[in-house]
Amino acid sequence: MLNTALTIAFFLVGIALLLNLYRLARGPSLPDRVLALDTMYINSISLIVLFGIRTQSNLYFEAALLIALIGFVSTVAVTKFLLRGDIIE
């Protein structure tokens, strides 16, 4: 049962990544593209966690946490750059 659920989840998250890639390439404005990139971080984290569940390894959960921290900091930096024009005041 778990393997079937994981396979379906991999497929659906993969489709979500493709749709985010489309929004990243064809976004009508720059904030839409930043939002698509942030959502791609979240989807990639979910793929890593799903793979960690499938392989029953704790290493992938730590990698997902690291990617989440980097994704948050980069999203804040890009947003601050778009709003103010510089990152460091």
Side-chain angles (χ1 to χ4, degrees):
M1 179 80 176
L2 182 63
N3 286 331
T4 305
L6 284 173
T7 303
I8 292 170
F10 274 121
F11 179 71
L12 292 176
V13 173
I15 288 174
L17 272 171
L18 289 175
L19 291 173
N20 284 329
L21 186 63
Y22 173 77
R23 178 53 55 199
L24 185 66
R26 302 268 308 174
S29 65
L30 196 56
D32 289 331
R33 291 182 175 156
V34 171
L35 185 62
L37 188 63
D38 188 47
T39 309
M40 285 182 77
Y41 276 118
I42 294 169
N43 287 337
S44 65
I45 290 168
S46 65
L47 275 178
I48 292 171
V49 168
L50 287 172
F51 190 72
I53 292 170
R54 176 161 291 196
T55 60
Q56 298 176 354
S57 174
N58 292 334
L59 181 66
Y60 294 105
F61 298 111
E62 293 175 9
L65 182 63
L66 183 64
I67 290 174
L69 290 172
I70 292 171
F72 174 73
V73 170
S74 66
T75 301
V76 169
V78 169
T79 305
K80 193 171 181 182
F81 177 74
L82 289 176
L83 290 175
R84 298 184 184 166
D86 63 345
I87 297 173
I88 299 174
E89 296 176 358

